[in-house]
């Protein structure tokens, strides 16, 4: 109950709300990519493309879902920690929110170009 009360106060801070809202939009955009790019269960899928070496990592198509799922779990854990740190260490809270934003921006960027390349 105390965590919910702290979360309401936490969300009233302008910087925290902006970082959290942009992160949520990036998470939604990442998962919406799977609607626009239909993945087919192939044996091997290109998981990394490099302009210098071409395709340099092949793997199972399931990793295209596992990587965003891991990022989502880390984001949820970081939000919970940010809310807990809010009353004691506000800078750590901002650090965690920035980490969530950068992580989800990276995952969106990665997934957008890999799905664009594969499908």
């Amino acid at each position: 109950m105390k965590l919910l009360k702290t979360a309401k106060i936490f969300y009233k801070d302008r910087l925290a709300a902006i970082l959290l809202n942009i992160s949520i939009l990036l998470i939604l955009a990442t998962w919406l990519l799977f609607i626009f790019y239909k993945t087919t269960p192939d044996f091997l899928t290109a998981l990394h493309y490099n302009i210098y070496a071409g395709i340099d990592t092949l793997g199972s198509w399931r990793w295209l879902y596992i990587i965003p799922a891991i990022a989502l779990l880390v984001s949820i854990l970081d939000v919970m920690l940010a809310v807990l740190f809010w009353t004691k260490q506000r800078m750590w809270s901002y650090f965690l929110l920035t980490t969530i934003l950068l992580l989800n921006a990276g995952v969106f960027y990665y997934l957008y170009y890999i799905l664009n390349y594969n499908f």
Side-chain angles (χ1 to χ4, degrees):
M1 197 65 179
K2 183 181 176 192
L3 185 65
L4 219 62
K5 195 178 215 181
T6 308
K8 288 180 185 178
I9 296 169
F10 169 76
Y11 198 73
K12 287 182 182 180
D13 182 56
R14 185 175 179 174
L15 181 61
I18 289 171
L19 290 171
L20 194 58
N21 287 337
I22 293 172
S23 297
I24 290 170
L25 288 175
L26 281 170
I27 291 169
L28 291 174
T30 300
W31 287 101
L32 284 174
L33 283 175
F34 290 113
I35 293 173
F36 296 113
Y37 297 102
K38 301 289 185 197
T39 57
T40 56
D42 294 333
F43 182 68
L44 287 177
T45 302
L47 295 178
H48 186 260
Y49 178 78
N50 189 328
I51 62 170
Y52 303 110
I55 299 171
D56 59 354
T57 304
L58 292 173
S60 174
W61 61 274
R62 289 180 181 94
W63 280 101
L64 296 175
Y65 292 98
I66 293 172
I67 292 171
I70 290 170
L72 178 65
L73 291 175
V74 169
S75 297
I76 292 170
L77 178 67
D78 279 357
V79 167
M80 289 173 34
L81 286 173
V83 169
L84 287 174
F85 284 146
W86 180 251
T87 57
K88 297 176 181 131
Q89 300 270 334
R90 195 167 285 191
M91 289 307 293
W92 276 105
S93 181
Y94 289 140
F95 173 75
L96 287 170
L97 289 173
T98 305
T99 303
I100 296 167
L101 178 72
L102 293 174
L103 171 71
N104 287 304
V107 169
F108 176 76
Y109 179 79
Y110 160 76
L111 201 62
Y112 175 76
Y113 284 106
I114 287 298
L115 288 176
N116 223 0
Y117 181 78
N118 282 327
F119 306 103

